[in-house]
Amino acid sequence: MGFATALFGVYWDDAWHTDRGRDDLFSPPHLSLYAGVAVVVAVVIWWAWQRRGDRAVASGPVGLAVAGAMFTLASAPVDEWWHQAFGRDAVLWSPPHLAAVAGTIALGTGVAFIATARTGVGNTLVGGAAGAAVIGAWQVLVLEYDTDVAQFSPLWYLPVMATGLAAAAITVQAAGSHRVRWPATWAGVVFTLAMAGVYVGLDSAGFSTPVVPLVLPALAVADLGRRMQWVMPLRTAVFVAALFATYWPYLGAVPGGVQPTLGDAAAGAVLAVIGVAAVLVVMDPAARFALRRAPVTVLMALAVVVTTSTVGPPRAEAHDPGQGDEVTEVTLIAEVTDRVVSVEVVLAGDGDAGEPVRVVARRAGRTLTGPLAATPNGWTGRVDVDQDGRWFVYVEARRGQQDVEAWIPVVAGSTSTASKEAAMYVVDTDDAVTSAQTIAGLILVALTAALLGRIAAVVRAALFARVTVAGSS
């Protein structure tokens, strides 16, 4: 229940930003997320207290769950401090947000091991739920792609998903492979049902909905590869092929989500192979027995560095970036006909919105512009977009020495009308990264990397114990 509440809160928070804009520390989605995490933390504390003096309490999974809980709970004030110190960020892949994701992954991993420590049908069900939480925590890394509000190039969608899903599969296998014959697949079924519930809940409340991730084929292949004891290169290739062969066409067949082009998918497959292979080498002792660890790890690290330095993510620009001080209220009306977006701006009678400049549409690393002109009752403009899906359309104006803007989300590729009471706010034009922000970011990234390393160590230790037992029997 705790993880389900937290999962709903995460996707609700994203939908809140999409549909309404900025929120505060105690917004309803945040409270849902905090309440869910608090329930899980309380269960972990209760479990440890009931077994005080037991050697298992001091084991890796319990310590990992506690560390994950601390990371997750601390992430909210740290994120708020980051915004106050360095300005608002509206991108998931920022240092404080990634630290929060790592915290939930660690918490879910620890709970997954705890939940499968005992036998019984009840623990199998709980273990499936805990495994689903691990999958969900890793899937959050591509939440902005799954919810059609991607701020980076679609090239990164499936490679990041493949890497995270591979790590989740190995984790679930390490925690539950001695209890369930197909542990990753079973956890994937529970996760899929949970995401269907998220979809129904958000749709019923009138919020934007995510695509329900199609993870079962790849997870089934992951379980099959482990049961058949395939060598690491074969496990990697079949896993990536299963994910890309099912998820890419799925994105083109269902509403929501961002479908990469064939070119991005082809390049992404190469990146996915690198990421999944690296996960196997780092987390799975069977892969490390099959290959010389040091040379392979160095080569993979070099490949990642070279790849990201040449085709790395650009600066994030999509919905609600750096929303600043409000100057007046306006009404935005957007009419969409296929890929043509016509915008009408109704100005408030007592506000000064400045002089119109242009219309800007942003989506997944794409920025397109169009004209914006004054009329007797306000402004009108138009922008032609080149992709179906959700775009964030801005009206930009000049107010004295200030750049101001307001925005509205639209969905191209159909005929629709959207309207929104929006704030014209001052744009933060200072994009310079200060040394203090760099240092703070490096500290957060280092802590996140350390926690991820601890997750890998716990998973590796569990799998190593089974490999050792199998080898001596």
Side-chain angles (χ1 to χ4, degrees), residues 177-440:
S177 61
H178 58 308
R179 306 298 184 197
V180 183
R181 291 177 61 85
W182 295 78
T185 308
W186 166 231
V189 170
V190 179
F191 170 71
T192 302
L193 293 174
M195 285 303 302
V198 169
Y199 181 97
V200 172
L202 291 177
D203 185 60
S204 300
F207 283 93
S208 297
T209 54
V211 69
V212 177
L214 184 64
V215 298
L216 283 175
L219 292 175
V221 165
D223 278 337
L224 179 63
R226 186 159 195 86
R227 289 176 60 81
M228 299 295 292
Q229 297 183 344
W230 291 345
V231 294
M232 190 272 282
L234 180 60
R235 288 172 62 187
T236 299
V238 176
F239 180 86
V240 172
L243 179 64
F244 276 66
T246 56
Y247 211 86
W248 186 83
Y250 174 70
L251 290 170
V254 298
V258 177
Q259 187 182 37
T261 64
L262 278 173
D264 282 343
V270 176
L271 295 174
V273 168
I274 295 173
V276 172
V279 163
L280 287 172
V281 169
V282 171
M283 299 182 73
D284 193 338
R288 294 168 67 175
F289 292 155
L291 296 168
R292 294 182 180 274
R293 180 183 59 175
V296 171
T297 303
V298 170
L299 288 175
M300 288 181 175
L302 288 175
V304 171
V305 170
V306 171
T307 303
T308 54
S309 64
T310 54
V311 293
R315 178 178 179 272
E317 287 187 341
H319 70 302
D320 191 19
Q323 190 164 314
D325 297 332
E326 298 179 5
V327 297
T328 188
E329 292 286 331
V330 299
T331 300
L332 300 179
I333 303 171
E335 295 184 358
V336 182
T337 304
D338 195 17
R339 293 183 177 179
V340 178
V341 183
S342 300
V343 183
E344 178 184 357
V345 184
V346 180
L347 303 176
D350 56 351
D352 178 14
E355 298 298 323
V357 175
R358 63 177 183 170
V359 180
V360 180
R362 296 189 176 104
R363 169 183 168 83
R366 300 279 296 159
T367 299
L368 303 173
T369 62
L372 181 66
T375 66
N377 298 321
W379 307 333
T380 60
R382 164 180 164 162
V383 60
D384 297 344
V385 299
D386 58 1
Q387 296 176 0
D388 294 343
R390 182 177 288 114
W391 289 78
F392 290 86
V393 177
Y394 293 73
V395 292
E396 296 184 350
R398 185 71 176 173
R399 182 176 179 268
Q401 299 300 312
Q402 296 175 324
D403 294 319
V404 297
E405 66 184 11
W407 58 268
I408 183 172
V410 303
V411 178
S414 61
T415 300
S416 61
T417 300
S419 62
K420 176 184 178 183
E421 300 294 325
M424 294 290 295
Y425 58 88
V426 179
V427 181
D428 182 8
T429 57
D430 183 11
D431 297 330
V433 177
T434 64
S435 57
Q437 183 175 358
T438 300
I439 293 173

Side-chain angles (χ1 to χ4, degrees), residues 75 79 83 89-102 140 144 444:
S75 65
D79 188 43
H83 291 164
D89 62 69
V91 56
L92 180 62
W93 295 349
S94 68
H97 293 164
L98 288 178
V101 174
V140 167
E144 290 178 340
L444 286 174

